[in-house]
Amino acid sequence: MTAAVFRWMVLEEWRLHSDLFGGARFGAFPLAIAALTGLATWLLGVTGTGSATVAGGLVALVAFFGLQVGTIGLVGRDALRDVLGDVTLLVFSARTLPLSFRRLLATFLVKDVCYYAALVLTPVVAGYGVVAVLTGGSVASVALLWVAVVAAFAFGASLSITLIAVASRAKAALLALLAVGTVAVLVGNVDPVAYTPYALYAAPSPATAVQGLAPTAVLAVAGVWLFDPTTDADGGGGSRWLDGLFTTVSDPLARRSLLAVSRSSGSVSKVAFSMGVLFLVTALLLEQVTQATGIRPHSGIAFGTLLGLGTFTTYSWVTQFDDPREYLRFPVTYGRVFRSLRLAYLALSLAAGVAYLALAALWFPAPRLAVGVLVLPGVAVYIFGVTAFVTGLSPNELLFDTPLFLAFGAALGALAVPLLVAALAVTAAPTLLTVGSVALATVAGVIGAWLTRRAGPRWDRRLRSS
């Protein structure tokens, strides 16, 4: 029965994507991923970044991707409450199938690892591998990276589900776990990276294989065992003080979006969680670049840029419960809808981003992080404008459409690449590159605002004529 459910889940995932985007266009998605990864690897090599550093970054980014996929645990409770419209996936059908939710969730995790390994992770490693081998790398090293990348995806998804499971049972337990982990790293000098799949790639040996992969297995078992979609430590999402705060927002559509996020599973903590993961990834990458190259990147530009790029997840949360066509029934234009959504999006994403910049001041120079406060808003407004213009109110579904994914990736790369290069090369011309980065982020914000104004009429025409 479990094997049959696994096959049905794979078929369900394929049908969902191929029916939405067409078999040929969706089939080109892995090729696009490989091409983009190869191009990025080559560009980073031009800046002097070594292939080992790029490989480490790929493992970190894939772990972040796994963490995002693992937030299915936050959607789970809402799905079981039938608040996601006609979305009824097999993983949420424990009430009608003769299988426990734990078995369905375990099957879902294995399916996701296999499905995304074929669709995304293998093309990512292939794109990197072509450039690495052409520049002197070995095929064996690329093969080992593939193992580390797939394991990193499983690590991220398992960690995410475990943390959500613990939080749903007792938030105090989650805070205690985080406190113990922080003390172990800061006081006990424990290297957390040594207990991730990256350890196997960095220093392959039987010992690092056990040390790097065993935590993933433990997290997967713990997450599946502890997760219960019927429990919720906050009693249904949100809190009274947040409701009170958000109900004071004068814009009714922005108030609606804020309350929808607040009252859904995970409440606003899922925004903080998503950006917190990116904050940790950025901190680790900065440390790795410094250790590998001896260059100390500009932490403010790097944090402002990457946290700003990470606000895409906030866009997904504020539009999670929106049906793109529902606004056709209301006396509002889509231009008004996007303006209100932007208000809710900025309220959540900038609050979380500035909080993480303040937290980063414990490890990085505060004057440099102040630059990040200037970079972050422009990047966030740009991300909102591009996402609204390209995907409308369906950011997650349409980004699996190959042409739109390429357009979205190109738009992000046009801003992210020069900003990250400036962060890496800041020692060459500190004042010029710092001022230039702030100016570029500001111009990007203006472009984002313009795209938001264009998004309203564009989607109004599309939805009314379809």
Side-chain angles (χ1 to χ4, degrees):
M1 183 67 178
T2 302
V5 171
F6 175 83
R7 289 196 301 273
W8 295 340
M9 283 184 172
V10 172
L11 184 61
E12 174 189 63
E13 195 85 23
W14 174 257
R15 282 181 175 175
L16 177 67
H17 292 142
S18 59
D19 286 351
L20 278 171
F21 314 122
R25 284 193 302 165
F26 184 57
F29 187 73
L31 299 177
I33 292 286
L36 286 176
T37 307
L39 178 62
T41 303
W42 176 75
L43 286 174
L44 286 170
V46 171
T47 66
T49 306
S51 58
T53 304
V54 176
L58 282 179
V59 175
L61 290 175
V62 167
F64 172 71
F65 179 45
L67 282 163
Q68 294 297 323
V69 171
T71 56
I72 186 74
L74 291 173
V75 178
R77 285 191 292 271
D78 294 328
L80 290 178
R81 292 179 193 134
D82 296 327
V83 296
L84 293 182
D86 58 353
V87 176
T88 306
L89 301 176
L90 281 170
V91 68
F92 303 130
S93 56
R95 290 183 300 184
T96 53
L97 289 180
L99 290 173
S100 68
F101 180 77
R102 287 193 179 106
R103 181 171 294 191
L104 281 173
L105 182 58
T107 308
F108 178 83
L109 269 178
V110 174
K111 181 272 300 177
D112 257 8
V113 172
C114 296
Y115 186 83
Y116 285 103
L119 183 70
V120 178
L121 306 183
T122 299
V124 163
V125 177
Y128 163 86
V130 169
V131 178
V133 170
L134 289 176
T135 53
S138 68
V139 175
S141 176
V142 175
L144 184 60
L145 177 64
W146 182 85
V147 174
V149 162
V150 174
F153 177 83
F155 173 81
S158 302
L159 176 61
S160 187
I161 287 179
T162 301
L163 293 177
I164 292 168
V166 173
S168 68
R169 290 177 178 271
K171 289 185 175 178
L174 176 63
L175 293 176
L177 283 176
L178 294 177
V180 170
T182 303
V183 170
V185 172
L186 297 181
V187 180
N189 293 320
V190 174
D191 180 9
V193 179
Y195 298 92
T196 68
Y198 179 72
L200 173 62
Y201 176 76
S205 71
T208 56
V210 173
Q211 184 174 322
L213 300 180
T216 301
V218 171
L219 287 170
V221 172
V224 170
W225 181 259
L226 293 173
F227 189 82
D228 182 353
T230 62
T231 61
D232 195 346
D234 63 13
S239 63
R240 290 183 178 179
W241 77 268
L242 273 178
D243 277 8
L245 177 64
F246 290 155
T247 50
T248 62
V249 176
S250 59
D251 187 310
L253 294 177
R255 183 166 66 242
R256 175 181 185 261
S257 297
L258 289 168
L259 288 172
V261 174
S262 171
R263 294 174 179 176
S264 61
S265 296
S267 190
V268 297
S269 62
K270 56 194 173 193
V271 176
F273 177 79
S274 299
M275 295 190 68
V277 170
L278 198 57
F279 165 77
L280 291 175
V281 170
T282 304
L284 287 173
L285 286 177
L286 289 175
E287 188 64 26
Q288 291 293 321
V289 169
T290 302
Q291 289 181 3
T293 66
I295 299 173
R296 187 168 293 279
H298 195 295
S299 51
I301 299 174
F303 272 113
T305 302
L306 293 176
L307 287 174
L309 295 176
T311 58
F312 170 76
T313 58
T314 307
Y315 189 98
S316 297
W317 294 127
V318 297
T319 57
Q320 181 183 0
F321 300 106
D322 283 331
D323 178 350
R325 302 185 65 83
E326 69 174 325
Y327 292 102
L328 295 175
R329 301 194 296 267
F330 303 145
V332 294
T333 64
Y334 278 88
R336 168 72 186 284
V337 171
F338 283 118
R339 286 196 300 274
S340 299
L341 280 174
R342 185 175 59 189
L343 179 61
Y345 159 89
L346 290 177
L348 295 173
S349 61
L350 292 187
V354 171
Y356 282 118
L357 282 170
L359 180 62
L362 294 175
W363 298 278
F364 298 93
R368 286 199 165 193
L369 292 172
V371 176
V373 177
L374 301 177
V375 171
L376 174 63
V379 178
V381 172
Y382 179 78
I383 293 299
F384 183 92
V386 171
T387 309
F389 186 82
V390 174
T391 72
L393 298 174
S394 304
N396 294 327
E397 293 180 357
L398 288 180
L399 285 180
F400 280 97
D401 185 299
T402 304
L404 290 181
F405 177 82
L406 289 175
F408 186 78
L412 262 60
L415 176 62
V417 170
L419 285 176
L420 292 177
V421 169
L424 290 171
V426 71
T427 52
T431 303
L432 175 63
L433 290 176
T434 302
V435 173
S437 297
V438 174
L440 178 59
T442 304
V443 171
V446 173
I447 295 173
W450 178 76
L451 286 173
T452 303
R453 286 197 298 274
R454 298 281 298 169
R458 181 172 190 259
W459 286 99
D460 198 76
R461 285 194 302 272
R462 283 195 172 196
L463 293 171
R464 291 186 187 284
S465 62
S466 60

